[in-house]
Amino acid sequence: MNQLLAMRAFLRVVESESFTQAASQLFMPRSTVSKLITDLEKHLSIQLIHRTTRTVAITPEGLEYYSH
């Protein structure tokens, strides 16, 4: 996993509140952004983002990670 790229993807998702918009801004497929976030969550052993089919919500742990 490229941790810096995963962190960058996480920041874009948090700021845009959308995997699709983050992927567009990073010039990569949405599935790649999703995989990067999943890999980052596994690396940190916490859930950063709560995903549903219609919404993206940042978890409290995700907000703390974002603030650092």
Side-chain angles (χ1 to χ4, degrees):
M1 170 186 68
N2 182 336
Q3 191 171 357
L4 289 178
L5 183 57
M7 292 168 66
R8 210 167 133 215
F10 173 70
L11 292 175
R12 296 290 175 133
V13 170
V14 170
E15 291 168 356
S16 66
E17 298 180 351
S18 166
F19 277 85
T20 303
Q21 287 182 11
S24 176
Q25 292 170 5
L26 293 168
F27 304 104
M28 60 179 59
R30 189 186 64 76
S31 60
T32 302
V33 172
S34 181
K35 175 79 168 112
L36 286 167
I37 301 297
T38 299
D39 289 347
L40 182 61
E41 290 175 327
K42 286 179 184 175
H43 176 72
L44 298 172
S45 300
I46 58 171
Q47 184 178 8
L48 298 171
I49 298 173
H50 178 71
R51 308 157 180 83
T52 67
T53 55
R54 297 187 183 263
T55 63
V56 172
I58 311 308
T59 64
E61 295 85 2
L63 284 174
E64 185 175 336
Y65 185 75
Y66 176 76
S67 69
H68 292 289

